[in-house]
Each structure stands twice: as structure tokens, then as C-alpha cells.
Amino acid sequence: MKQTILTLLLALATMAAAQKPIEMNLWPNGPKTSNDDPNDMAKVTVYLPSEKHATGRAIVCCPGGGYQHLAMQHEGFDWAPFFTGQGIALIVLKYRMPHGNYTVPAEDAEEAIRLVRSHAKEWHINTKDVGIMGFSAGGHLASTVATHATGETAPNFQILFYPVISMEQGTTHQGSRDNLLGKNPKRKLVNEYCNEQHITKHTPRAFLALAHDDRAVPPINSINYYEELYANKVPASMHIYPSGGHGFGIRQSFAYHLEMMLELKAWLRSF
């Protein structure tokens, strides 16, 4: 029964998603900051709902991969029917790896948000309803933008799945920290990318989802982030599922997949 309901929901979503995806180079004239890898190009794949169903909302999606690679499918492209079926545009970002330059991923993510807002009229998007979503290290990237970006690159809401939040030894995901900041980063740099330290009353509302038995990224990352959101009176919703480990994304093999999708859908309708 559960699978039947899920299949029906996805079928309805797919029916509403009428437009073919658009692929674009994020930096057609070259990136602001180089990561010294000319083969690592930032791109976006834009999934737009049919004009009839468009709500004006858009989400920039940052797949995970430890700042070493990207899980583009189940943490990116596969989400398109779910969002476009609700009239929400999904912009999947293939961001560049740091390769020793920690500013590169955030520059790509902020540029993706700027790109979405610059195409607002053409894509039927409300510039004040552009969010960011991320998974694992992509969740660290999304939360970095949510807590650091200002002006035209600041998102209006954030969706984080099993995110890396802290760069503190013993709390962080060590591979993500090493790949982003290097093996021996200075204290000031670590603090700059411990994103729970940068939450203010202006941080956008958040949805967090993770599994209790996540052995790759300790749940304390999300818990500390939620506590700081709560302390700063930022609306937030956190869902910790009994099992599922790390990296489940939109895979239906995740035991709580249907519950997670319905809870995310309900949260999106709440504002």
C-alpha cells in the first residue's frame, strides 16, 4: 500500500512537470576564482514546472560527495519530479571541487542563486522565494551560503539532508574538512566554516532530515545547528529517522522515504 501511494504521488508529479531540463555553464566567461582544474566546470541543470503550475518558488540543489565528487543522481537530478510536480523549479548545481581553494564551492553556489534571480521573469520565479538545498558536504555548502551570503545571493530558505555543519575535529566529517580546508587549517578558518557559529536572526528558515544511525556525519551536526536556529528564533523543522544511515537521498530503499517526502511537502506548504 505504501509503495502504491508513493508511485501515485510520483506519477502525478511527473505529469505536472512538462518542460525539458535546461543545462547551462555557470561561468560562461570563466569563474571568478580558479581551482586550477580546467576540466572541472561548474554547471546547472534547470528543471522548470509547466507555466500553468509554476508557484514562483525555486530551489538550488547541492549534491554531496565530501567535497571530492558529486552524487548528482539521487541527491540531484532524481528530485526534479517531486519539486516540479509542486510547481517548484529545481536547479541542480554541479559545483567545482575546492582543490586547495576553499572559496570555490560557495562562489559557485552563490552564483547559481544569482543566476536564478537574473532569470526570474523568463523562468516565472519569485526572487524572494529562492531556496538552497544540500546533502552531506552539499549540506555544508548550502548551510555556508545560508549563514554567510548577503544581498542577491542570500537564499530565502534552506533544506538540509544529513548535513556536515561543523568543521571541528571529532564532530565534522573528516574527509569533507580535509578536502575543503586542508589537513592543517588555521583556527580562524575552522571557525569561519563552523556554520552553527554564524546563525543570526536573519538566517533563513530551515528543514533538516537525517538518520539516528548516521555513522559518516554525526547527528550532532544537525542538532547543534537546530539549537542555534531555535535560539535565534529562526523557524526550523528537524526530522531524525530511526535508521537509514548516511546518503539515502531520494532512494526508495530508505525505510522512511514516504514519511520524509510527505513531511518535506508539508513543510514547503507551511510558508
Side-chain angles (χ1 to χ4, degrees):
M1 181 65 179
K2 177 179 176 180
Q3 189 64 38
T4 302
I5 294 172
L6 179 59
T7 302
L8 179 60
L9 287 173
L10 290 177
L12 290 171
T14 303
M15 287 170 61
Q19 299 196 37
K20 293 182 179 180
I22 305 164
E23 187 174 290
M24 303 172 64
N25 288 332
L26 185 63
W27 303 99
N29 299 316
K32 183 168 63 174
T33 302
S34 173
N35 67 350
D36 296 322
D37 182 355
N39 296 316
D40 186 13
M41 297 176 61
K43 297 179 180 179
V44 292
T45 305
V46 182
Y47 296 87
L48 300 175
S50 62
E51 187 175 336
K52 178 181 176 182
H53 291 93
T55 62
R57 179 167 287 175
I59 295 172
V60 172
C61 175
C62 306
Y67 285 121
Q68 182 182 48
H69 63 275
L70 294 176
M72 295 296 294
Q73 207 67 43
H74 72 289
E75 293 179 351
F77 305 137
D78 292 348
W79 283 87
F82 173 76
F83 287 112
T84 57
Q86 299 173 71
I88 301 170
L90 180 69
I91 298 85
V92 180
L93 171 64
K94 178 193 173 294
Y95 55 93
R96 293 170 297 147
M97 299 299 98
H99 297 317
N101 193 328
Y102 56 85
T103 65
V104 164
E107 282 185 8
D108 286 354
E110 289 189 32
E111 182 64 17
I113 292 176
R114 186 184 290 111
L115 176 73
V116 171
R117 290 192 168 122
S118 71
H119 285 81
K121 186 175 181 180
E122 175 188 352
W123 293 347
H124 306 285
I125 288 168
N126 177 357
T127 58
K128 296 181 180 179
D129 201 5
V130 179
I132 193 164
M133 175 170 78
F135 303 77
S136 193
H140 182 266
L141 175 56
S143 63
T144 297
V145 175
T147 54
H148 290 68
T150 58
E152 64 179 352
T153 64
N156 300 107
F157 58 93
Q158 55 182 314
I159 302 170
L160 309 176
F161 290 89
Y162 38 87
V164 179
I165 295 293
S166 176
M167 286 286 116
E168 290 287 358
Q169 294 278 17
T171 300
T172 190
H173 173 253
Q174 192 63 42
S176 296
R177 171 180 152 131
D178 291 349
N179 289 326
L180 182 66
L181 304 183
K183 297 286 187 180
N184 297 293
K186 294 182 179 180
R187 180 73 251 173
K188 183 178 179 181
L189 187 60
V190 171
N191 289 345
E192 182 66 17
Y193 285 90
C194 283
N195 292 330
E196 76 280 5
Q197 297 182 22
H198 300 280
I199 292 171
T200 70
K201 64 181 181 179
H202 302 295
T203 300
R205 66 178 66 233
F207 176 97
L208 297 97
L210 63 149
H212 174 81
D213 62 351
D214 191 331
R215 299 289 179 260
V217 177
I220 195 66
N221 281 266
S222 292
I223 293 167
N224 287 345
Y225 197 71
Y226 176 83
E227 286 188 344
E228 288 301 321
L229 291 167
Y230 182 82
N232 284 275
K233 296 181 172 56
V234 176
S237 178
M238 182 167 67
H239 303 270
I240 304 177
Y241 300 101
S243 62
H246 187 77
F248 45 82
I250 199 172
R251 288 174 175 151
Q252 294 184 33
S253 57
F254 175 47
Y256 302 94
H257 173 79
L258 178 58
E259 290 85 352
M260 179 186 76
M261 302 294 271
L262 291 175
E263 285 161 350
L264 176 55
K265 189 173 183 178
W267 182 78
L268 288 164
R269 288 199 310 265
S270 71
F271 62 97

